[in-house]
Amino acid sequence: MKKILLSLAAVAALGAAAAPAAAQPWNPGRAYDNHGSGQLTTSYVDSLDWKISNAAREGRISWQDARQLRGDLRQAQPIAYRVQTGEARGWERQRLQTTVSRIEQAVNGYGGRTYGYGYGPGFRR
């Protein structure tokens, strides 16, 4: 009798755990982000300011490049708000994605100033 009650309790617990998972939306491109733009939220765009400063401090980009990237970021912030609220048009979303991608490439060291393996910024002999 004890085994039957324990097995029924286990089945009930398993069913209760599976119910919330079944209620989640299934849409591969948009399941957990807003309008299919996971990196186009205002919080992510605002975090790029710190990444720009950090890259300049570490010498991966120059301070002049950092100033220019911050200017581009300031222009993109209102667009990020419109994208997050669903008010942006397609071309605005594309412009924001292009700007975010360009800033990410610059701060991650994939900008135009790479000199081959071992000769990037910070190389020492």
Side-chain angles (χ1 to χ4, degrees):
M1 181 73 168
K2 211 178 216 184
K3 288 183 181 180
I4 293 173
L5 288 176
L6 284 176
S7 62
L8 286 176
V11 169
L14 183 62
Q24 297 297 319
W26 187 84
N27 192 351
R30 299 180 179 203
Y32 296 103
D33 56 4
N34 192 13
H35 305 290
S37 52
Q39 294 182 342
L40 300 183
T41 61
T42 55
S43 60
Y44 184 78
V45 171
D46 291 342
S47 74
L48 289 175
D49 187 31
W50 178 84
K51 290 182 180 183
I52 292 169
S53 297
N54 194 34
R57 258 193 313 275
E58 291 178 354
R60 288 182 280 149
I61 61 173
S62 69
W63 285 103
Q64 182 179 2
D65 291 342
R67 199 170 21 259
Q68 184 177 10
L69 290 172
R70 271 201 193 93
D72 294 344
L73 182 64
R74 298 289 176 257
Q75 291 177 353
Q77 285 173 329
I79 299 172
Y81 175 76
R82 287 196 298 276
V83 168
Q84 186 169 343
T85 58
E87 300 172 2
R89 295 189 171 128
W91 66 269
E92 288 177 309
R93 189 174 294 112
Q94 182 62 40
R95 178 178 173 193
L96 180 62
Q97 181 62 53
T98 302
T99 303
V100 167
S101 296
R102 188 169 39 78
I103 291 172
E104 286 176 337
Q105 287 177 353
V107 299
N108 290 330
Y110 301 119
R113 296 185 319 174
T114 56
Y115 305 105
Y117 181 75
Y119 295 99
F123 175 75
R124 294 183 187 169
R125 286 185 169 206

